[in-house]
Amino acid sequence: DTGVSQNPRHKITKRGQNVTFRCDPISEHNRLYWYRQTLGQGPEFLTYFQNEAQLEKSRLLSDRFSAERPKGSFSTLEIQRTEQGDSAMYLCASSDSFMAPHYGYTFGSGTRLTVV
Amino acid sequence: AQSVTQPDIHITVSEGASLELRCNYSYGATPYLFWYVQSPGQGLQLLLKYFSGDTLVQGIKGFEAEFKRSQSSFNLRKPSVHWSDAAEYFCAVGARSSNTGKLIFGQGTTLQVKP
């Protein structure tokens, strides 16, 4: 078990470009969460999946953002037409649905996005 | 609405000194409570959690936290700080009424350790 893996670790993109991040959760975990963390702030919830179903989305997730988890394993987060305000650390976390919500979950190391 | 307040943005302590990081929450009932630690450029590691039972909970790396319902607080403590404890610390709450596992985080407290 290698924990939650996120790729890439860093991404620099020009404003207006599309970017996609990948998250590989712990293999036996059926819940997967995406959070966004801006500088000097705590993480903010974006969305979560149970298996392949996306069950909740934050209003922070504008229509430029889309997340998928097609086979209930890895997940991708795509941002279209990036803006400078999208610059942040994007964190993925996973848990077992039996353990959530009261056991917390395991975070990946994050993908840091810089939009120039 | 749920919220978490960490009143101290930045704390500096000497190595070997005791530490207390404050966390206050706003929630209609007793939430699930967590403390996470984040080293620079890294993800978050769970230090400890409270969901029921004994209000004093023990965590990893020698940390403990005490849930005080009357004060809506969940302060993190360590009797003797090590230089490796320098990091950012986040308090978080989760709703008992929801099964989503979604967490609300505070703004974080940055801990600096002086030699």
Side-chain angles (χ1 to χ4, degrees), chain B residues 10-40:
Chain B
H10 193 109
I11 283 184
T12 300
V13 300
S14 297
E15 190 169 15
S18 63
L19 171 71
E20 182 169 32
L21 302 182
R22 295 183 290 164
C23 172
N24 294 97
Y25 66 89
S26 174
Y27 185 60
T30 302
Y32 299 117
L33 295 158
F34 305 86
W35 276 98
Y36 284 86
V37 61
Q38 185 178 37
S39 297

PDB file of all heavy atoms in Angstrom, chain B residues 10-40:
ATOM      1  N   HIS B  10       0.194  32.250  13.947  1.00  0.00           N
ATOM      2  CA  HIS B  10       1.599  31.871  14.032  1.00  0.00           C
ATOM      3  C   HIS B  10       1.990  31.784  15.499  1.00  0.00           C
ATOM      4  O   HIS B  10       1.659  32.687  16.273  1.00  0.00           O
ATOM      5  CB  HIS B  10       2.457  32.927  13.317  1.00  0.00           C
ATOM      6  CG  HIS B  10       3.871  32.494  13.084  1.00  0.00           C
ATOM      7  ND1 HIS B  10       4.383  32.178  11.850  1.00  0.00           N
ATOM      8  CD2 HIS B  10       4.907  32.317  13.951  1.00  0.00           C
ATOM      9  CE1 HIS B  10       5.659  31.840  11.958  1.00  0.00           C
ATOM     10  NE2 HIS B  10       6.004  31.915  13.217  1.00  0.00           N
ATOM     11  N   ILE B  11       2.681  30.690  15.867  1.00  0.00           N
ATOM     12  CA  ILE B  11       3.181  30.522  17.233  1.00  0.00           C
ATOM     13  C   ILE B  11       4.638  30.101  17.175  1.00  0.00           C
ATOM     14  O   ILE B  11       5.001  29.259  16.342  1.00  0.00           O
ATOM     15  CB  ILE B  11       2.341  29.475  17.994  1.00  0.00           C
ATOM     16  CG1 ILE B  11       1.020  30.080  18.440  1.00  0.00           C
ATOM     17  CG2 ILE B  11       3.104  28.931  19.189  1.00  0.00           C
ATOM     18  CD1 ILE B  11       0.168  29.155  19.274  1.00  0.00           C
ATOM     19  N   THR B  12       5.443  30.685  18.057  1.00  0.00           N
ATOM     20  CA  THR B  12       6.846  30.300  18.173  1.00  0.00           C
ATOM     21  C   THR B  12       7.098  29.816  19.591  1.00  0.00           C
ATOM     22  O   THR B  12       6.750  30.502  20.559  1.00  0.00           O
ATOM     23  CB  THR B  12       7.784  31.480  17.873  1.00  0.00           C
ATOM     24  OG1 THR B  12       7.541  31.939  16.537  1.00  0.00           O
ATOM     25  CG2 THR B  12       9.240  31.050  17.980  1.00  0.00           C
ATOM     26  N   VAL B  13       7.680  28.634  19.708  1.00  0.00           N
ATOM     27  CA  VAL B  13       8.040  28.088  21.024  1.00  0.00           C
ATOM     28  C   VAL B  13       9.472  27.585  20.967  1.00  0.00           C
ATOM     29  O   VAL B  13       9.987  27.261  19.890  1.00  0.00           O
ATOM     30  CB  VAL B  13       7.103  26.952  21.475  1.00  0.00           C
ATOM     31  CG1 VAL B  13       5.669  27.447  21.574  1.00  0.00           C
ATOM     32  CG2 VAL B  13       7.204  25.762  20.547  1.00  0.00           C
ATOM     33  N   SER B  14      10.086  27.521  22.125  1.00  0.00           N
ATOM     34  CA  SER B  14      11.441  26.984  22.212  1.00  0.00           C
ATOM     35  C   SER B  14      11.384  25.465  22.271  1.00  0.00           C
ATOM     36  O   SER B  14      10.438  24.884  22.824  1.00  0.00           O
ATOM     37  CB  SER B  14      12.143  27.520  23.449  1.00  0.00           C
ATOM     38  OG  SER B  14      12.285  28.918  23.360  1.00  0.00           O
ATOM     39  N   GLU B  15      12.380  24.829  21.705  1.00  0.00           N
ATOM     40  CA  GLU B  15      12.443  23.381  21.761  1.00  0.00           C
ATOM     41  C   GLU B  15      12.455  22.925  23.215  1.00  0.00           C
ATOM     42  O   GLU B  15      13.179  23.487  24.054  1.00  0.00           O
ATOM     43  CB  GLU B  15      13.691  22.868  21.041  1.00  0.00           C
ATOM     44  CG  GLU B  15      13.698  21.358  20.838  1.00  0.00           C
ATOM     45  CD  GLU B  15      14.799  20.891  19.902  1.00  0.00           C
ATOM     46  OE1 GLU B  15      15.731  21.675  19.638  1.00  0.00           O
ATOM     47  OE2 GLU B  15      14.707  19.742  19.432  1.00  0.00           O
ATOM     48  N   GLY B  16      11.628  21.935  23.518  1.00  0.00           N
ATOM     49  CA  GLY B  16      11.528  21.441  24.885  1.00  0.00           C
ATOM     50  C   GLY B  16      10.413  22.088  25.684  1.00  0.00           C
ATOM     51  O   GLY B  16      10.010  21.563  26.734  1.00  0.00           O
ATOM     52  N   ALA B  17       9.895  23.200  25.196  1.00  0.00           N
ATOM     53  CA  ALA B  17       8.796  23.874  25.883  1.00  0.00           C
ATOM     54  C   ALA B  17       7.479  23.186  25.555  1.00  0.00           C
ATOM     55  O   ALA B  17       7.374  22.423  24.602  1.00  0.00           O
ATOM     56  CB  ALA B  17       8.742  25.344  25.481  1.00  0.00           C
ATOM     57  N   SER B  18       6.469  23.484  26.374  1.00  0.00           N
ATOM     58  CA  SER B  18       5.148  22.921  26.117  1.00  0.00           C
ATOM     59  C   SER B  18       4.420  23.738  25.056  1.00  0.00           C
ATOM     60  O   SER B  18       4.763  24.889  24.777  1.00  0.00           O
ATOM     61  CB  SER B  18       4.331  22.890  27.406  1.00  0.00           C
ATOM     62  OG  SER B  18       4.121  24.209  27.862  1.00  0.00           O
ATOM     63  N   LEU B  19       3.408  23.120  24.475  1.00  0.00           N
ATOM     64  CA  LEU B  19       2.686  23.737  23.355  1.00  0.00           C
ATOM     65  C   LEU B  19       1.194  23.557  23.543  1.00  0.00           C
ATOM     66  O   LEU B  19       0.736  22.486  23.980  1.00  0.00           O
ATOM     67  CB  LEU B  19       3.097  23.062  22.047  1.00  0.00           C
ATOM     68  CG  LEU B  19       2.296  23.424  20.792  1.00  0.00           C
ATOM     69  CD1 LEU B  19       2.604  24.860  20.364  1.00  0.00           C
ATOM     70  CD2 LEU B  19       2.591  22.450  19.670  1.00  0.00           C
ATOM     71  N   GLU B  20       0.438  24.596  23.236  1.00  0.00           N
ATOM     72  CA  GLU B  20      -1.007  24.465  23.146  1.00  0.00           C
ATOM     73  C   GLU B  20      -1.482  25.262  21.944  1.00  0.00           C
ATOM     74  O   GLU B  20      -1.237  26.469  21.847  1.00  0.00           O
ATOM     75  CB  GLU B  20      -1.726  24.937  24.398  1.00  0.00           C
ATOM     76  CG  GLU B  20      -3.256  24.747  24.303  1.00  0.00           C
ATOM     77  CD  GLU B  20      -3.967  24.960  25.629  1.00  0.00           C
ATOM     78  OE1 GLU B  20      -3.491  25.782  26.436  1.00  0.00           O
ATOM     79  OE2 GLU B  20      -5.003  24.296  25.854  1.00  0.00           O
ATOM     80  N   LEU B  21      -2.170  24.605  21.036  1.00  0.00           N
ATOM     81  CA  LEU B  21      -2.763  25.261  19.867  1.00  0.00           C
ATOM     82  C   LEU B  21      -4.274  25.262  20.049  1.00  0.00           C
ATOM     83  O   LEU B  21      -4.873  24.219  20.320  1.00  0.00           O
ATOM     84  CB  LEU B  21      -2.387  24.523  18.579  1.00  0.00           C
ATOM     85  CG  LEU B  21      -0.895  24.387  18.290  1.00  0.00           C
ATOM     86  CD1 LEU B  21      -0.689  23.682  16.954  1.00  0.00           C
ATOM     87  CD2 LEU B  21      -0.211  25.739  18.282  1.00  0.00           C
ATOM     88  N   ARG B  22      -4.863  26.424  19.848  1.00  0.00           N
ATOM     89  CA  ARG B  22      -6.280  26.578  20.138  1.00  0.00           C
ATOM     90  C   ARG B  22      -7.154  26.323  18.923  1.00  0.00           C
ATOM     91  O   ARG B  22      -6.774  26.654  17.782  1.00  0.00           O
ATOM     92  CB  ARG B  22      -6.543  27.980  20.680  1.00  0.00           C
ATOM     93  CG  ARG B  22      -5.883  28.260  22.024  1.00  0.00           C
ATOM     94  CD  ARG B  22      -6.259  29.630  22.527  1.00  0.00           C
ATOM     95  NE  ARG B  22      -5.661  30.699  21.735  1.00  0.00           N
ATOM     96  CZ  ARG B  22      -6.069  31.959  21.776  1.00  0.00           C
ATOM     97  NH1 ARG B  22      -7.103  32.300  22.528  1.00  0.00           N
ATOM     98  NH2 ARG B  22      -5.469  32.889  21.040  1.00  0.00           N
ATOM     99  N   CYS B  23      -8.318  25.757  19.198  1.00  0.00           N
ATOM    100  CA  CYS B  23      -9.311  25.512  18.159  1.00  0.00           C
ATOM    101  C   CYS B  23     -10.695  25.685  18.767  1.00  0.00           C
ATOM    102  O   CYS B  23     -11.001  25.054  19.786  1.00  0.00           O
ATOM    103  CB  CYS B  23      -9.164  24.099  17.595  1.00  0.00           C
ATOM    104  SG  CYS B  23     -10.486  23.620  16.453  1.00  0.00           S
ATOM    105  N   ASN B  24     -11.498  26.531  18.163  1.00  0.00           N
ATOM    106  CA  ASN B  24     -12.890  26.689  18.563  1.00  0.00           C
ATOM    107  C   ASN B  24     -13.773  26.404  17.361  1.00  0.00           C
ATOM    108  O   ASN B  24     -13.437  26.763  16.230  1.00  0.00           O
ATOM    109  CB  ASN B  24     -13.142  28.113  19.075  1.00  0.00           C
ATOM    110  CG  ASN B  24     -12.396  28.392  20.349  1.00  0.00           C
ATOM    111  OD1 ASN B  24     -11.300  28.972  20.336  1.00  0.00           O
ATOM    112  ND2 ASN B  24     -12.960  27.960  21.452  1.00  0.00           N
ATOM    113  N   TYR B  25     -14.895  25.777  17.613  1.00  0.00           N
ATOM    114  CA  TYR B  25     -15.774  25.429  16.513  1.00  0.00           C
ATOM    115  C   TYR B  25     -17.188  25.933  16.774  1.00  0.00           C
ATOM    116  O   TYR B  25     -17.571  26.195  17.922  1.00  0.00           O
ATOM    117  CB  TYR B  25     -15.793  23.909  16.292  1.00  0.00           C
ATOM    118  CG  TYR B  25     -16.394  23.148  17.441  1.00  0.00           C
ATOM    119  CD1 TYR B  25     -17.762  22.893  17.502  1.00  0.00           C
ATOM    120  CD2 TYR B  25     -15.589  22.700  18.488  1.00  0.00           C
ATOM    121  CE1 TYR B  25     -18.310  22.219  18.576  1.00  0.00           C
ATOM    122  CE2 TYR B  25     -16.137  22.031  19.558  1.00  0.00           C
ATOM    123  CZ  TYR B  25     -17.496  21.783  19.602  1.00  0.00           C
ATOM    124  OH  TYR B  25     -18.033  21.131  20.677  1.00  0.00           O
ATOM    125  N   SER B  26     -17.921  26.066  15.708  1.00  0.00           N
ATOM    126  CA  SER B  26     -19.325  26.435  15.791  1.00  0.00           C
ATOM    127  C   SER B  26     -20.122  25.353  15.087  1.00  0.00           C
ATOM    128  O   SER B  26     -19.911  25.095  13.896  1.00  0.00           O
ATOM    129  CB  SER B  26     -19.564  27.792  15.119  1.00  0.00           C
ATOM    130  OG  SER B  26     -20.943  28.090  15.071  1.00  0.00           O
ATOM    131  N   TYR B  27     -20.990  24.722  15.851  1.00  0.00           N
ATOM    132  CA  TYR B  27     -21.791  23.629  15.298  1.00  0.00           C
ATOM    133  C   TYR B  27     -22.947  23.385  16.231  1.00  0.00           C
ATOM    134  O   TYR B  27     -22.823  23.536  17.438  1.00  0.00           O
ATOM    135  CB  TYR B  27     -20.925  22.377  15.153  1.00  0.00           C
ATOM    136  CG  TYR B  27     -21.619  21.218  14.482  1.00  0.00           C
ATOM    137  CD1 TYR B  27     -22.102  21.337  13.189  1.00  0.00           C
ATOM    138  CD2 TYR B  27     -21.774  20.011  15.138  1.00  0.00           C
ATOM    139  CE1 TYR B  27     -22.748  20.282  12.576  1.00  0.00           C
ATOM    140  CE2 TYR B  27     -22.412  18.956  14.537  1.00  0.00           C
ATOM    141  CZ  TYR B  27     -22.899  19.087  13.260  1.00  0.00           C
ATOM    142  OH  TYR B  27     -23.530  18.048  12.651  1.00  0.00           O
ATOM    143  N   GLY B  28     -24.102  22.982  15.700  1.00  0.00           N
ATOM    144  CA  GLY B  28     -25.305  22.830  16.497  1.00  0.00           C
ATOM    145  C   GLY B  28     -25.269  21.659  17.460  1.00  0.00           C
ATOM    146  O   GLY B  28     -26.002  21.621  18.434  1.00  0.00           O
ATOM    147  N   ALA B  29     -24.417  20.701  17.188  1.00  0.00           N
ATOM    148  CA  ALA B  29     -24.324  19.526  18.055  1.00  0.00           C
ATOM    149  C   ALA B  29     -22.844  19.192  18.190  1.00  0.00           C
ATOM    150  O   ALA B  29     -21.988  19.922  17.715  1.00  0.00           O
ATOM    151  CB  ALA B  29     -25.093  18.371  17.448  1.00  0.00           C
ATOM    152  N   THR B  30     -22.547  18.111  18.845  1.00  0.00           N
ATOM    153  CA  THR B  30     -21.146  17.715  18.959  1.00  0.00           C
ATOM    154  C   THR B  30     -20.680  17.138  17.638  1.00  0.00           C
ATOM    155  O   THR B  30     -21.227  16.154  17.157  1.00  0.00           O
ATOM    156  CB  THR B  30     -20.967  16.665  20.070  1.00  0.00           C
ATOM    157  OG1 THR B  30     -21.433  17.212  21.299  1.00  0.00           O
ATOM    158  CG2 THR B  30     -19.498  16.294  20.201  1.00  0.00           C
ATOM    159  N   PRO B  31     -19.689  17.768  17.062  1.00  0.00           N
ATOM    160  CA  PRO B  31     -19.200  17.265  15.766  1.00  0.00           C
ATOM    161  C   PRO B  31     -18.119  16.214  15.964  1.00  0.00           C
ATOM    162  O   PRO B  31     -17.695  15.933  17.079  1.00  0.00           O
ATOM    163  CB  PRO B  31     -18.611  18.515  15.127  1.00  0.00           C
ATOM    164  CG  PRO B  31     -18.060  19.274  16.309  1.00  0.00           C
ATOM    165  CD  PRO B  31     -18.996  18.990  17.455  1.00  0.00           C
ATOM    166  N   TYR B  32     -17.689  15.642  14.873  1.00  0.00           N
ATOM    167  CA  TYR B  32     -16.427  14.897  14.893  1.00  0.00           C
ATOM    168  C   TYR B  32     -15.320  15.944  14.813  1.00  0.00           C
ATOM    169  O   TYR B  32     -15.452  16.943  14.110  1.00  0.00           O
ATOM    170  CB  TYR B  32     -16.339  13.963  13.696  1.00  0.00           C
ATOM    171  CG  TYR B  32     -17.422  12.923  13.632  1.00  0.00           C
ATOM    172  CD1 TYR B  32     -18.329  12.884  12.584  1.00  0.00           C
ATOM    173  CD2 TYR B  32     -17.542  11.964  14.634  1.00  0.00           C
ATOM    174  CE1 TYR B  32     -19.331  11.933  12.527  1.00  0.00           C
ATOM    175  CE2 TYR B  32     -18.543  11.013  14.589  1.00  0.00           C
ATOM    176  CZ  TYR B  32     -19.434  11.001  13.535  1.00  0.00           C
ATOM    177  OH  TYR B  32     -20.414  10.054  13.490  1.00  0.00           O
ATOM    178  N   LEU B  33     -14.215  15.719  15.504  1.00  0.00           N
ATOM    179  CA  LEU B  33     -13.144  16.704  15.586  1.00  0.00           C
ATOM    180  C   LEU B  33     -11.811  16.069  15.248  1.00  0.00           C
ATOM    181  O   LEU B  33     -11.538  14.929  15.664  1.00  0.00           O
ATOM    182  CB  LEU B  33     -13.093  17.307  16.998  1.00  0.00           C
ATOM    183  CG  LEU B  33     -14.321  18.119  17.394  1.00  0.00           C
ATOM    184  CD1 LEU B  33     -14.437  18.209  18.911  1.00  0.00           C
ATOM    185  CD2 LEU B  33     -14.250  19.512  16.780  1.00  0.00           C
ATOM    186  N   PHE B  34     -11.003  16.811  14.541  1.00  0.00           N
ATOM    187  CA  PHE B  34      -9.735  16.277  14.060  1.00  0.00           C
ATOM    188  C   PHE B  34      -8.648  17.355  14.161  1.00  0.00           C
ATOM    189  O   PHE B  34      -8.924  18.551  14.066  1.00  0.00           O
ATOM    190  CB  PHE B  34      -9.829  15.873  12.577  1.00  0.00           C
ATOM    191  CG  PHE B  34     -10.933  14.913  12.253  1.00  0.00           C
ATOM    192  CD1 PHE B  34     -12.206  15.377  11.971  1.00  0.00           C
ATOM    193  CD2 PHE B  34     -10.694  13.552  12.236  1.00  0.00           C
ATOM    194  CE1 PHE B  34     -13.235  14.502  11.678  1.00  0.00           C
ATOM    195  CE2 PHE B  34     -11.726  12.661  11.936  1.00  0.00           C
ATOM    196  CZ  PHE B  34     -12.991  13.134  11.650  1.00  0.00           C
ATOM    197  N   TRP B  35      -7.422  16.881  14.318  1.00  0.00           N
ATOM    198  CA  TRP B  35      -6.241  17.710  14.109  1.00  0.00           C
ATOM    199  C   TRP B  35      -5.359  17.039  13.063  1.00  0.00           C
ATOM    200  O   TRP B  35      -5.074  15.835  13.155  1.00  0.00           O
ATOM    201  CB  TRP B  35      -5.434  17.892  15.398  1.00  0.00           C
ATOM    202  CG  TRP B  35      -5.918  18.995  16.280  1.00  0.00           C
ATOM    203  CD1 TRP B  35      -6.725  18.892  17.378  1.00  0.00           C
ATOM    204  CD2 TRP B  35      -5.606  20.383  16.154  1.00  0.00           C
ATOM    205  NE1 TRP B  35      -6.941  20.132  17.931  1.00  0.00           N
ATOM    206  CE2 TRP B  35      -6.259  21.068  17.202  1.00  0.00           C
ATOM    207  CE3 TRP B  35      -4.825  21.128  15.268  1.00  0.00           C
ATOM    208  CZ2 TRP B  35      -6.168  22.449  17.383  1.00  0.00           C
ATOM    209  CZ3 TRP B  35      -4.726  22.498  15.454  1.00  0.00           C
ATOM    210  CH2 TRP B  35      -5.400  23.149  16.501  1.00  0.00           C
ATOM    211  N   TYR B  36      -4.949  17.866  12.077  1.00  0.00           N
ATOM    212  CA  TYR B  36      -4.034  17.420  11.036  1.00  0.00           C
ATOM    213  C   TYR B  36      -2.780  18.286  11.081  1.00  0.00           C
ATOM    214  O   TYR B  36      -2.829  19.462  11.467  1.00  0.00           O
ATOM    215  CB  TYR B  36      -4.666  17.561   9.651  1.00  0.00           C
ATOM    216  CG  TYR B  36      -5.689  16.513   9.288  1.00  0.00           C
ATOM    217  CD1 TYR B  36      -7.024  16.674   9.654  1.00  0.00           C
ATOM    218  CD2 TYR B  36      -5.328  15.380   8.565  1.00  0.00           C
ATOM    219  CE1 TYR B  36      -7.970  15.726   9.305  1.00  0.00           C
ATOM    220  CE2 TYR B  36      -6.270  14.428   8.213  1.00  0.00           C
ATOM    221  CZ  TYR B  36      -7.589  14.607   8.584  1.00  0.00           C
ATOM    222  OH  TYR B  36      -8.514  13.668   8.233  1.00  0.00           O
ATOM    223  N   VAL B  37      -1.658  17.714  10.603  1.00  0.00           N
ATOM    224  CA  VAL B  37      -0.416  18.461  10.499  1.00  0.00           C
ATOM    225  C   VAL B  37       0.049  18.419   9.044  1.00  0.00           C
ATOM    226  O   VAL B  37      -0.123  17.410   8.357  1.00  0.00           O
ATOM    227  CB  VAL B  37       0.669  17.903  11.448  1.00  0.00           C
ATOM    228  CG1 VAL B  37       1.009  16.457  11.130  1.00  0.00           C
ATOM    229  CG2 VAL B  37       1.929  18.764  11.400  1.00  0.00           C
ATOM    230  N   GLN B  38       0.598  19.534   8.591  1.00  0.00           N
ATOM    231  CA  GLN B  38       1.073  19.635   7.208  1.00  0.00           C
ATOM    232  C   GLN B  38       2.478  20.215   7.191  1.00  0.00           C
ATOM    233  O   GLN B  38       2.680  21.349   7.636  1.00  0.00           O
ATOM    234  CB  GLN B  38       0.123  20.509   6.387  1.00  0.00           C
ATOM    235  CG  GLN B  38       0.462  20.572   4.902  1.00  0.00           C
ATOM    236  CD  GLN B  38      -0.536  21.414   4.125  1.00  0.00           C
ATOM    237  OE1 GLN B  38      -1.028  22.421   4.606  1.00  0.00           O
ATOM    238  NE2 GLN B  38      -0.845  20.987   2.900  1.00  0.00           N
ATOM    239  N   SER B  39       3.421  19.447   6.671  1.00  0.00           N
ATOM    240  CA  SER B  39       4.776  19.952   6.472  1.00  0.00           C
ATOM    241  C   SER B  39       4.817  20.677   5.127  1.00  0.00           C
ATOM    242  O   SER B  39       3.994  20.410   4.253  1.00  0.00           O
ATOM    243  CB  SER B  39       5.776  18.803   6.499  1.00  0.00           C
ATOM    244  OG  SER B  39       5.757  18.177   7.762  1.00  0.00           O
ATOM    245  N   PRO B  40       5.783  21.585   4.945  1.00  0.00           N
ATOM    246  CA  PRO B  40       5.817  22.394   3.714  1.00  0.00           C
ATOM    247  C   PRO B  40       5.770  21.551   2.450  1.00  0.00           C
ATOM    248  O   PRO B  40       6.523  20.596   2.286  1.00  0.00           O
ATOM    249  CB  PRO B  40       7.150  23.138   3.845  1.00  0.00           C
ATOM    250  CG  PRO B  40       7.385  23.229   5.313  1.00  0.00           C
ATOM    251  CD  PRO B  40       6.842  21.952   5.890  1.00  0.00           C
TER     252      PRO B  40
END
